[in-house]
Amino acid sequence: MGWSPGQAASATATLDTDTDAVTGNGTGTDTSAGSGTEAWVAAQVGCALETVFEAVAATRADATAQLARVTSEGRRPTSADLAALRPGLHLRLTRHELVSGVGFVVSPGLLADVPAWLEWWQSGADGDVRPLLVDLDPGRSAYSDYTHWDWFALPRDTGRRAVAGPYVDYLCSDEYSLTLSAPVQSEGRFAGVAAADVYLRHFEAAVLPLLRRLDRPAYLVNARGRVAASADPGHLAGSLTKGPDFGELLATATPGEHDGLRLVPCHGVPLVLVVTAP
């Protein structure tokens, strides 16, 4: 979770909040040779990210319940109230292999004692669980206003879960990362986002065996053509690739072709499987 200069390495897409599983074959009416294997690979990639969204959903449920408990007492929540989320956050960090950071980022003005707050925990290099300590003083910190970052703004503006990245996460880890997030509501109003970070190198390690099952080099891109994982030496993870309107392809969820490339949306998550020409 974080920021890159000018958001040059950032790209995002949104997902419906009621998309909880990867279903169907994602192939539309396409019957070309090899489409079955490609559709299977695309579906398995979707499943890999759905496990991270499970952690996001659990955090959202805990945050919603805690805010409801506090408001039922007739008072505004404070940062101390969010400590109740920590056991669940620590558990998700240890149980979800791809999750490197997880937490609840509040909407500014929600809490009574501080203007902004990140109840965020992450895994250290030695496997320990530790809090993210960030200066949110607007007079000193460039990170004091996180409301314009895609992982926060898209769930707030659309009411849907989102995937941001890959981008360089200068706030948490200095790693290429993906951030998956979903909106949290309190008394019918936006209260912040539940989110989880995935190091790009971990995601790529998880999906490379899938990509290598194909008989041609293949890679995954997001809606803006940013490569999220690659088994093609000509398209490195984190690079920007030229092609069609990948966002439109994801919106239609229909496979297609472009300049000899096979394009298969990963059903349920905003990634496209790109299979190169023989």
Side-chain angles (χ1 to χ4, degrees):
M1 177 185 62
W3 170 88
S4 57
Q7 302 254 330
S10 177
T12 60
T14 60
L15 299 168
D16 290 338
T17 54
D18 59 357
T19 303
D20 294 324
V22 175
T23 58
N25 61 18
T27 60
T29 59
D30 185 85
T31 57
S32 62
S35 63
T37 303
E38 293 160 3
W40 180 86
V41 169
Q44 293 302 307
V45 170
C47 287
L49 280 188
E50 285 295 343
T51 64
V52 180
F53 271 120
E54 290 175 4
V56 174
T59 299
R60 179 172 63 176
D62 285 354
T64 300
Q66 179 62 3
L67 293 176
R69 280 192 288 269
V70 172
T71 55
S72 70
E73 299 171 0
R75 62 181 180 88
R76 289 175 61 193
T78 67
S79 57
D81 291 316
L82 300 185
L85 306 181
R86 293 174 186 175
L89 298 178
H90 296 177
L91 187 63
R92 278 153 224 145
L93 280 171
T94 58
R95 284 191 175 179
H96 291 266
E97 184 176 354
L98 285 178
V99 176
S100 60
V102 64
F104 173 47
V105 184
V106 304
S107 181
L110 177 74
L111 303 180
D113 59 330
V114 291
W117 189 260
L118 291 82
E119 187 61 46
W120 193 267
W121 292 75
Q122 54 194 25
S123 299
D126 54 0
D128 62 320
V129 175
R130 60 190 183 189
L132 173 67
L133 302 176
V134 58
D135 184 3
L136 295 177
D137 186 332
R140 299 191 303 263
S141 174
Y143 303 116
S144 61
D145 181 12
Y146 45 72
T147 61
H148 62 284
W149 295 341
D150 288 334
W151 49 261
F152 188 93
L154 282 171
R156 177 197 62 201
D157 297 344
T158 67
R160 300 175 180 177
R161 62 184 190 172
V163 175
Y167 64 96
V168 180
D169 187 353
Y170 291 118
L171 178 59
C172 295
S173 62
D174 291 333
E175 293 244 13
Y176 257 117
S177 300
L178 303 173
T179 299
L180 287 66
S181 56
V184 174
Q185 298 283 328
S186 177
E187 297 186 302
R189 294 180 296 178
F190 176 75
V193 299
D197 281 345
V198 178
Y199 290 155
L200 191 62
R201 56 188 170 88
H202 291 166
F203 174 66
E204 193 167 28
V207 300
L208 272 178
L210 297 170
L211 300 181
R212 288 171 177 157
R213 293 177 70 104
L214 299 169
D215 59 4
R216 290 181 282 164
Y219 52 97
L220 296 164
V221 300
N222 62 16
R224 296 181 185 170
R226 186 72 58 182
V227 178
S230 178
D232 178 0
H235 295 85
L236 300 180
S239 64
L240 190 64
T241 184
K242 295 181 179 180
D245 186 336
F246 293 108
E248 181 179 355
L249 186 73
L250 287 166
T252 61
T254 302
E257 296 188 1
H258 177 79
D259 287 345
L261 301 175
R262 284 279 302 150
L263 308 171
V264 184
C266 297
H267 184 73
V269 297
L271 294 175
V272 175
L273 172 66
V274 181
V275 184
T276 61

